[in-house]
Amino acid sequence: MITESALLEKVPRGLFIRGEWVEGSRGTFPVHDPATGDVLVEIADASPEDGIRALDAAVEAQDDWAATPPRTRSDILRRAFDLLMERADEFALLMTLEMGKPLAEARGEVTYGGEFLRWFSEEAVRVAGRYGQNPEGTGRMVISQHPVGPCFFITPWNFPLAMATRKIAPALAAGCTVVIKPAELTPLTTLAFVQLLVEAGLPAGVVNVVTTTTSGAVSGPIIADPRLRKLSFTGSTPVGKKLIAQAAEGVLRVSMELGGNAPFVVFDDADLDKAVDGAMAAKFRNIGQACTAANRFIVHSSVAEEFADRVSERVKAMKIGRGTEEGVQIGPLIDRKAVEATAALVKDAVDRGATVRAGGSAIDGPGTFFEPTVITEVAAGSDIVREEIFGPVLAIATFDTEDDAVRLANDTEYGLVSYVFTQDLARGHRMIDRLETGMMGLNVGVVSNAAAPFGGVKQSGLGREGGLEGIHEYLSTKYTLIPAS
């Protein structure tokens, strides 16, 4: 295993534009380890002018990349997958250092993120159209698919590798060039990944990276530039709305994976062993810092007490610490603001009558840690019911009828994912139809897969990432009529 210092020494520190690592116009900024507060490295801080230079490079490379044979694009993505698997331990450690997640979970993200490279390497050679006679018999119709064009990606801090590969892989497979702006808090994994793409044979200018502390200032001019044709963002709904408004000026194609408020419904006939296992995975994966994290546990009143007892026992036994330590299950939250926000949600719920069954407090000392927490008797209208928690807090409310469960589950402006535990197959099918979410886990607590379309409804976003649908977000459909001779 490589040492932390040796790994950090390998990570590029600059912006990546036109195939070269260059300095940022605004100097540098520090990237911190959330487990200790220590500075890991200083990296380049881009200006708006740097952002446009990156877009210039993507525009210049677009025609050649679009004309590159699909098999060549496929081979580059496949080589990138192979290189990533060879260096899985290094990428896992890098994510743990900059984001804080336990090393075991970081290794899981390498596997998950890598699958987008493998999946879209296979999809690159399967982009197809249609050819046939029109109904009137007066001509032949040719339906063809073409790259959308230069894309701008804004990725979040919580899954530094998977959010990059989930966007970059389908774009490259489709023949689009890219400018990516990783989150200020966790940019190092993206920098290392782009360096890997170069080793895999990616031509200069096809992917460009700008890291910055002034996200809005850098993103605004790129989005407003008429040469940009696609914007993809993963992050909060309020920011997503602003970006959609900006994108409307240029009528850009947009993909938006926004906030979540996932219901986790446990019916009276549920297999409680599976429900508890699913709850632990759906809530505490990534320290609760995931848009797919279960946010509202809606449990039938007849099993609520046993469910609460069992998850509380599991939570109390969880090991907290720096993600590099053996056996750690709960690492730090990303920063102090996240700790304060989580504490405020728990306090509001308790003030409204909720009971803390496990945890409930921030942890003093270096780093930004919050105890894994279980609270019960959560009242309707509590902030923790309405807002995305993004922390290790499992909040339980109860219901008595199926209609009540559906009403409570759908009582949110969000609709990303839901989780349902029942042994009644007919009820499971009803939940597929009745729950207003883009994804659902039926008797399972983790749903993400590179072969499946990831995305939500309502204010959880637009478009899909992954699956057969994922590459079509980066393709435009053209219809051509050829008159009959």
Side-chain angles (χ1 to χ4, degrees):
M1 172 72 78
I2 191 171
T3 66
E4 294 178 17
S5 59
L7 176 61
L8 293 172
E9 194 62 36
K10 290 177 61 175
V11 176
R13 313 291 176 90
L15 313 177
F16 191 65
I17 299 175
R18 205 172 279 104
E20 296 181 350
W21 295 102
V22 298
E23 295 181 356
S25 300
R26 289 170 44 86
T28 63
F29 68 92
V31 179
H32 295 89
D33 178 347
T36 63
D38 295 340
V39 173
L40 295 171
V41 293
E42 296 259 352
I43 65 169
D45 195 356
S47 68
E49 292 76 21
D50 293 326
I52 293 301
R53 285 169 51 218
L55 180 60
D56 290 342
V59 170
E60 292 164 10
Q62 177 59 53
D63 288 347
D64 285 347
W65 184 244
T68 299
R71 176 59 67 195
T72 301
R73 300 197 298 261
S74 171
D75 288 345
I76 291 171
L77 288 169
R78 179 63 198 217
R79 283 196 295 272
F81 168 78
D82 290 337
L83 287 170
L84 182 62
M85 294 302 101
E86 290 173 11
R87 301 173 193 173
D89 287 344
E90 291 186 13
F91 274 87
L93 178 57
L94 187 58
M95 279 189 283
T96 293
L97 293 178
E98 68 172 342
M99 186 266 156
K101 69 182 70 188
L103 199 53
E105 290 195 22
R107 292 191 183 101
E109 183 175 342
V110 174
T111 300
Y112 173 55
E115 282 303 310
F116 289 102
L117 300 172
R118 179 154 63 172
W119 175 264
F120 286 109
S121 75
E122 296 161 346
E123 290 300 294
V125 297
R126 296 193 175 99
V127 175
R130 291 188 285 123
Y131 173 82
Q133 188 179 48
N134 66 5
E136 297 78 16
T138 58
R140 301 287 177 173
M141 301 183 298
V142 178
I143 314 300
S144 53
Q145 302 289 335
H146 304 268
V148 167
C151 304
F152 181 44
F153 299 153
I154 303 173
T155 54
W157 52 261
N158 56 341
F159 290 94
L161 178 67
M163 297 303 97
T165 60
R166 199 162 77 183
K167 296 180 191 301
I168 291 174
L172 298 188
C176 299
T177 58
V178 169
V179 176
I180 183 168
K181 189 201 75 61
E184 174 187 348
L185 294 169
T186 59
L188 304 182
T189 303
T190 300
L191 296 173
F193 173 63
V194 171
Q195 186 176 49
L196 182 148
L197 285 176
V198 174
E199 292 182 49
L202 192 71
V206 175
V207 174
N208 306 272
V209 186
V210 287
T211 51
T212 183
T213 57
T214 56
S215 180
V218 170
S219 299
I222 297 175
I223 296 169
D225 194 299
R227 300 173 298 171
L228 186 72
R229 296 314 315 142
K230 164 85 182 184
L231 170 65
S232 181
F233 168 75
T234 298
S236 73
T237 295
V239 174
K241 288 180 178 179
K242 292 177 182 177
L243 292 172
I244 292 170
Q246 293 177 43
E249 289 297 315
V251 195
L252 298 182
R253 287 275 292 273
V254 296
S255 298
M256 294 280 152
E257 197 265 283
L258 306 178
N261 189 2
F264 188 105
V265 183
V266 181
F267 283 97
D268 54 346
D269 67 336
D271 180 326
L272 281 190
D273 289 336
K274 290 183 179 179
V276 170
D277 286 344
M280 299 303 292
K283 175 72 264 183
F284 296 105
R285 174 174 174 249
N286 216 48
I287 324 162
Q289 299 174 120
C291 56
T292 54
N295 216 58
R296 297 168 295 138
F297 286 78
I298 302 166
V299 184
H300 193 275
S301 57
S302 66
V303 296
E305 188 64 24
E306 183 180 357
F307 179 81
D309 285 343
R310 291 171 68 170
V311 293
S312 296
E313 182 180 1
R314 295 271 293 270
V315 165
K316 289 175 183 177
M318 297 183 89
K319 183 177 179 180
I320 307 166
R322 191 171 189 245
T324 53
E325 297 170 10
E326 186 70 28
V328 163
Q329 298 162 284
I330 296 291
L333 296 184
I334 189 63
D335 59 15
R336 186 62 55 189
K337 288 191 297 183
V339 173
E340 293 170 353
T342 303
L345 291 175
V346 172
K347 181 179 185 304
D348 174 78
V350 171
D351 288 347
R352 295 171 185 261
T355 299
V356 176
R357 300 283 288 266
S361 301
I363 298 174
D364 293 334
T368 47
F369 291 88
F370 195 94
E371 294 176 314
T373 298
V374 177
I375 56 176
T376 58
E377 293 92 44
V378 175
S382 299
D383 291 346
I384 209 164
V385 173
R386 296 182 294 105
E387 300 178 17
E388 193 170 19
I389 299 172
F390 244 63
V393 179
L394 193 159
I396 301 173
T398 60
F399 73 93
D400 291 312
T401 70
E402 182 176 310
D403 285 344
D404 287 340
V406 171
R407 176 181 56 78
L408 290 169
N410 288 339
D411 187 19
T412 174
E413 63 190 1
Y414 299 104
L416 185 60
V417 63
S418 54
Y419 304 93
V420 174
F421 283 77
T422 178
Q423 297 185 80
D424 184 333
L425 183 60
R427 174 184 281 152
H429 280 286
R430 290 196 298 272
M431 294 302 101
I432 294 172
D433 292 334
R434 298 184 72 187
L435 296 187
E436 298 168 350
T437 57
M439 301 176 287
M440 189 177 109
L442 183 57
N443 295 318
V444 66
V446 177
V447 301
S448 300
N449 190 288
F454 187 105
V457 298
K458 300 197 286 190
Q459 295 199 32
S460 285
L462 305 165
R464 293 296 183 268
E465 294 183 312
L468 299 174
E469 297 79 2
I471 199 168
H472 290 284
E473 298 287 338
Y474 298 93
L475 294 168
S476 293
T477 301
K478 179 181 287 185
Y479 152 60
T480 302
L481 177 64
I482 304 173
S485 58

